[in-house]
Amino acid sequence: MKPEPQTDRNRLADSEPMRVHYRLYCAPDEDPGRKAAAIALEQTVELPADLLPEGIAGKWTGQVTLLEPGDDDDWQCCIAYPAAAAGSELSQLLNTLFGNISLQDGIRIDAIDWPDSMLSAFGGPAYGLEGLRQRCRVDRGQPLTSTALKPLGLSAAELAARAAAFAEGGIDLIKDDHGLSDQAPAPFHERLQRCQEAVTRANLRVGGNSLYLPNVTAPPQQLAERMQAAVNAGCTAVLLSPWLSGLDSVRWARDAFGLAIMAHPALTGALFRRRHGFKPAVLLGDLFRIAGADAVIYPNVGGRFGFSLDTCQQINAALRRPLGELRAAAPTAGGGVRLSDAGSWLDRYGPDTIFLIGGSLYAEGDLRAAAGRLRRALGR
Amino acid sequence: MKPEPQTDRNRLADSEPMRVHYRLYCAPDEDPGRKAAAIALEQTVELPADLLPEGIAGKWTGQVTLLEPGDDDDWQCCIAYPAAAAGSELSQLLNTLFGNISLQDGIRIDAIDWPDSMLSAFGGPAYGLEGLRQRCRVDRGQPLTSTALKPLGLSAAELAARAAAFAEGGIDLIKDDHGLSDQAPAPFHERLQRCQEAVTRANLRVGGNSLYLPNVTAPPQQLAERMQAAVNAGCTAVLLSPWLSGLDSVRWARDAFGLAIMAHPALTGALFRRRHGFKPAVLLGDLFRIAGADAVIYPNVGGRFGFSLDTCQQINAALRRPLGELRAAAPTAGGGVRLSDAGSWLDRYGPDTIFLIGGSLYAEGDLRAAAGRLRRALGR
């Protein structure tokens, strides 16, 4: 285990600011100018301007650089924050973005202009979409496939049998369901050993390159232990829910353990309210990618969750677009995608995508055959 | 540093279930019965009932035990979850409570009936309100005072001078502003040393018992290092933002470092929407207390945030009420409380409260004198 991730205060000191683009919704008694100015103070110094010692205002507070009426009953607002205030820790970055104002109303973050200094401080994916392709030996121009081992309640041996069938069928990324942690029927360490071994053997049998991704989401001390165990067992990628274990845990997995990370959106949804929170593409796109996620799961339109097609395409774009020197991450469309629709989603989203299909494969009964059908539906 | 917190799967296996009380809001095309049944599956097995292997349904899924129309356009719903599914890790508990359904709409958690097995597995405050009273030598029947060192941008020496003045004035709990992490003007380690030394010396000068609480919120590896540094510097309590560093970091501070914890609500506010999320008293009350927070900061009514008086009183009650064998935690009313109103808040909330006043003390200019006025306003 390497020592702690670097913080690089000095590099941030003379950096361009971080520009945060908000959409503000004002109550009848709220003035948009005051609301914007209050955010710029609340998220930095937490004092009224007239109580600031000399030399603080402007240097350490946010600066409102734009405020104009939007299309509807909203206001477009941009606040520039000193990069050095947000620090080089993701915990403090989240705090600067939405810590205290989460407790207010009518503030949505629509976009962030990231200074290069912050992008290079946080670093982004170590492997990214292309790195995952290489590990699974999937050519450029072809999509990747993923599925989830479930349900909770099965034994580790039963889950491993499912993993073997999926690997024989050629699923690239076979992950734990994110609700499998360390429960009695399939405790983490036993599940890790059995599933990794099952996938390795299946790969040998069929000449495949499937990866098993254990869910290492855990309290901080178990997190380190589980990531190390995953490395020791031969895993090269893991599943993490950054909102359950802290966003910095993604960087930790990357820097201290060299693992590729598939990030799960559990608990993030509370932030995706229409008039308060983040646009999903900022959080699941920018933030997860900057933190180091190589693949990011999101709930695809038409499944069990409420994202629109537009939101899904914005997430895809945020994970793939040029962003400093950061590698592109792999959008992972899940949450109710049906096997029968996989081909049409490929047409729509393109091959730089992971298609995560769980329930619809289980519904087929024969998991190996179902996996094969998924591959063929995706031209693999 | 002690080894990792214990997980105790076996104790949970035969436990009473965890009963979660929801308020459901249905879209015109949503059926409340289906919505409730879907939650019970989504938050456990993530598969439709007809795809579950034998022996899973009922044992590992949630069970809807109540569904009836509410007072308005809502439905009251109770789902009983097997305690062993939620596990003995707070990350998985949060996932069971709101992981995937955060991404849906119209689901609010209003109350949770905790089985004794889970309460004793998580453990709650090590010190609690009475433990903080003992450390600060404040008699029962008297409230505690707190303030924040700020603003961001001051040097460690300047913050330490403010800490000294507050300690001379007799503030019990002098905490870092929660936005002070490791920024260049006052890096964590320098701030820790200077502020702790300033408070210790001030205590000697005036015969006081003030505590300095450094903000240790950080990425997981720095978190351990900062908590250890706080212990080494002689601090016995710290500030943590559990939603930035992961809720389990509170347990970690308690179990591995023996620290008392004041918890800050940064980033939790996104979950307090009227029709989706948690009632604040469940999250800031039950969850923070169960995780081990000895004191919990919340934004008091009438300040810069939107909680109602009723919400504040519910949080107070949740932190103080009998809950298994757990110690009571200290409600900490902050976020814009004025010095001039402190006495009337004491009348309303009673003495088992910490009054956290920042800006209103800074507005007085002479911090030592302002602290004295606060003490007198609270009958100290």
Side-chain angles (χ1 to χ4, degrees), chain A residues 63-114:
Chain A
Q63 297 289 301
V64 180
T65 61
L66 174 83
L67 183 67
E68 57 187 32
D71 296 335
D72 203 354
D73 59 341
D74 60 299
W75 288 76
Q76 308 291 325
C77 168
C78 180
I79 300 180
Y81 292 95
S88 49
E89 298 168 354
L90 291 164
S91 44
Q92 172 58 10
L93 173 63
L94 287 180
N95 186 46
T96 304
L97 289 174
F98 213 63
N100 271 6
I101 58 174
S102 76
L103 293 151
Q104 299 178 334
D105 278 315
I107 304 169
R108 202 183 73 184
I109 295 179
D110 273 7
I112 300 171
D113 301 332
W114 300 99

Side-chain angles (χ1 to χ4, degrees), chain A residues 1-7 9-10 13 42-48 51-54 56 60 84-92 94-95 98-106 150-154 162 177-185 187-188 215 217-223 225-226 241 243-249 251-252 256 264-273 276-278 284 299 304-307 358-360 362-364, chain B residues 1-7 9-10 13 42-48 51-54 56 60 84-92 94-95 98-106 150-154 162 177-185 187-188 215 217-223 225-226 241 243-249 251-252 256 264-273 276-278 284 299 304-307 358-360 362-364:
Chain A
M1 197 197 305
K2 284 192 238 156
E4 65 181 71
Q6 304 138 13
T7 59
R9 287 184 221 113
N10 297 329
E42 187 69 53
Q43 297 304 94
T44 52
V45 292
E46 292 189 60
L47 274 179
L51 294 183
L52 291 178
E54 213 172 322
I56 303 290
W60 291 101
S88 49
E89 298 168 354
L90 291 164
S91 44
Q92 172 58 10
L94 287 180
N95 186 46
F98 213 63
N100 271 6
I101 58 174
S102 76
L103 293 151
Q104 299 178 334
D105 278 315
K150 52 173 106 177
L152 169 66
L154 288 187
R162 292 178 167 213
D177 209 14
H178 83 288
L180 298 178
S181 54
D182 191 36
Q183 297 99 336
F188 176 79
N215 175 30
T217 306
Q221 278 173 291
Q222 284 92 335
L223 186 59
E225 182 218 324
R226 288 184 198 170
S241 297
W243 233 251
L244 299 177
S245 58
L247 185 54
D248 279 294
S249 63
R251 277 209 296 170
W252 199 20
H264 190 283
L267 207 60
T268 61
L271 288 139
F272 303 147
R273 303 300 103 191
H276 195 63
F278 288 73
L284 299 179
R304 305 190 304 279
F305 304 93
F307 281 7
S360 181
Y362 287 108
E364 298 282 301
Chain B
M1 198 198 303
K2 283 190 239 156
E4 64 180 72
Q6 304 137 11
T7 58
R9 288 184 221 111
N10 297 330
E42 187 69 51
Q43 297 304 96
T44 52
V45 292
E46 292 189 58
L47 273 179
L51 294 182
L52 292 179
E54 212 172 325
I56 304 290
W60 291 101
S88 49
E89 298 167 355
L90 291 164
S91 44
Q92 173 58 11
L94 287 179
N95 186 46
F98 212 63
N100 271 8
I101 57 173
S102 77
L103 293 150
Q104 298 179 335
D105 277 315
K150 54 173 100 174
L152 169 66
L154 289 187
R162 292 178 168 215
D177 210 12
H178 83 289
L180 298 178
S181 55
D182 192 37
Q183 297 99 335
F188 176 79
N215 174 30
T217 307
Q221 279 172 290
Q222 283 94 333
L223 186 60
E225 183 218 325
R226 288 182 198 170
S241 297
W243 234 250
L244 299 176
S245 59
L247 185 55
D248 278 294
S249 63
R251 275 209 297 170
W252 200 20
H264 190 283
L267 206 59
T268 60
L271 290 139
F272 303 147
R273 303 300 103 192
H276 195 63
F278 289 72
L284 298 179
R304 306 189 304 278
F305 304 92
F307 280 7
S360 181
Y362 286 107
E364 299 281 301

Side-chain angles (χ1 to χ4, degrees), chain B:
Chain B
M1 198 198 303
K2 283 190 239 156
E4 64 180 72
Q6 304 137 11
T7 58
D8 194 344
R9 288 184 221 111
N10 297 330
R11 187 160 45 169
L12 295 174
D14 300 315
S15 163
E16 284 289 298
M18 169 176 75
R19 294 178 203 280
V20 182
H21 299 269
Y22 302 87
R23 191 178 298 254
L24 305 182
Y25 297 89
C26 292
D29 62 343
E30 266 185 326
D31 172 74
R34 281 197 194 176
K35 183 164 183 155
I39 293 170
L41 294 171
E42 187 69 51
Q43 297 304 96
T44 52
V45 292
E46 292 189 58
L47 273 179
D50 60 358
L51 294 182
L52 292 179
E54 212 172 325
I56 304 290
K59 183 158 184 200
W60 291 101
T61 60
Q63 296 290 301
V64 179
T65 60
L66 174 83
L67 183 66
E68 56 186 33
D71 296 335
D72 202 356
D73 59 341
D74 60 298
W75 289 77
Q76 308 292 325
C77 167
C78 179
I79 301 180
Y81 292 95
S88 49
E89 298 167 355
L90 291 164
S91 44
Q92 173 58 11
L93 173 64
L94 287 179
N95 186 46
T96 303
L97 289 174
F98 212 63
N100 271 8
I101 57 173
S102 77
L103 293 150
Q104 298 179 335
D105 277 315
I107 304 170
R108 202 182 73 185
I109 296 180
D110 273 7
I112 300 171
D113 300 331
W114 301 98
D116 284 337
S117 63
M118 287 179 75
L119 293 176
S120 56
F122 292 126
Y127 308 99
L129 172 61
E130 289 309 317
L132 292 175
R133 273 220 176 90
Q134 284 167 24
R135 291 191 181 193
C136 299
R137 311 215 178 166
V138 176
D139 292 339
R140 284 199 183 188
Q142 292 202 315
L144 282 83
T145 57
S146 183
T147 194
L149 300 176
K150 54 173 100 174
L152 169 66
L154 289 187
S155 69
E158 290 167 318
L159 292 168
R162 292 178 168 215
F166 285 131
E168 287 175 351
I171 299 286
D172 300 310
L173 302 159
I174 302 165
K175 74 171 186 70
D176 280 343
D177 210 12
H178 83 289
L180 298 178
S181 55
D182 192 37
Q183 297 99 335
F188 176 79
H189 289 284
E190 186 190 351
R191 188 173 80 243
L192 169 67
Q193 297 302 331
R194 286 186 185 266
C195 291
Q196 175 64 11
E197 190 178 302
V199 170
T200 302
R201 287 190 180 177
N203 281 340
L204 288 172
R205 279 196 297 280
V206 300
N209 299 286
S210 300
L211 301 182
Y212 165 60
L213 290 76
N215 174 30
V216 297
T217 307
Q221 279 172 290
Q222 283 94 333
L223 186 60
E225 183 218 325
R226 288 182 198 170
M227 292 193 288
Q228 189 59 54
V231 170
N232 295 348
C235 296
T236 57
V238 294
L239 182 77
L240 253 179
S241 297
W243 234 250
L244 299 176
S245 59
L247 185 55
D248 278 294
S249 63
V250 179
R251 275 209 297 170
W252 200 20
R254 179 195 67 191
D255 293 343
F257 300 93
L259 288 158
I261 301 118
M262 178 178 271
H264 190 283
L267 206 59
T268 60
L271 290 139
F272 303 147
R273 303 300 103 192
R274 201 168 65 81
R275 287 168 173 258
H276 195 63
F278 289 72
K279 257 200 177 177
V282 176
L283 200 158
L284 298 179
D286 285 18
L287 278 170
F288 275 27
R289 180 179 173 194
I290 285 170
D294 300 284
V296 177
I297 299 169
Y298 66 85
N300 197 30
V301 55
R304 306 189 304 278
F305 304 92
F307 280 7
S308 67
L309 178 60
D310 190 38
T311 290
C312 296
Q313 286 174 323
Q314 286 172 17
I315 295 169
N316 293 348
L319 292 169
R320 295 171 184 150
R321 71 180 164 115
L323 187 63
E325 304 286 315
L326 269 55
R327 288 185 180 81
T332 305
V337 176
R338 282 182 296 275
L339 174 54
S340 56
D341 298 334
S344 66
W345 286 118
L346 173 60
D347 292 342
R348 193 162 257 159
Y349 290 165
D352 290 342
T353 312
I354 299 173
F355 294 94
L356 166 60
I357 301 190
S360 181
L361 294 186
Y362 286 107
E364 299 281 301
D366 180 334
L367 301 183
R368 177 177 174 162
R373 277 196 283 284
L374 174 59
R375 276 196 297 117
R376 286 189 294 278
L378 294 171
R380 292 272 309 273

Side-chain angles (χ1 to χ4, degrees), chain A residues 2 17 19 23 31 34 52 60 70 90 116 136 140-141 144 152 196 222 241 263 273 302 317 320 333 364 369 379:
Chain A
K2 284 192 238 156
R19 293 178 204 280
R23 192 178 297 255
D31 172 73
R34 282 197 193 176
L52 291 178
W60 291 101
L90 291 164
D116 284 337
C136 299
R140 283 199 185 189
L144 283 84
L152 169 66
Q196 175 65 11
Q222 284 92 335
S241 297
R273 303 300 103 191
R320 295 169 182 152
E364 298 282 301

Side-chain angles (χ1 to χ4, degrees), chain A residues 125-185:
Chain A
Y127 308 98
L129 172 61
E130 289 311 316
L132 291 175
R133 273 221 176 88
Q134 284 167 23
R135 292 190 180 194
C136 299
R137 308 213 181 169
V138 176
D139 292 339
R140 283 199 185 189
Q142 292 202 314
L144 283 84
T145 56
S146 183
T147 194
L149 301 176
K150 52 173 106 177
L152 169 66
L154 288 187
S155 69
E158 289 167 319
L159 292 167
R162 292 178 167 213
F166 285 132
E168 287 175 351
I171 299 286
D172 300 310
L173 303 159
I174 301 164
K175 73 169 187 71
D176 281 342
D177 209 14
H178 83 288
L180 298 178
S181 54
D182 191 36
Q183 297 99 336

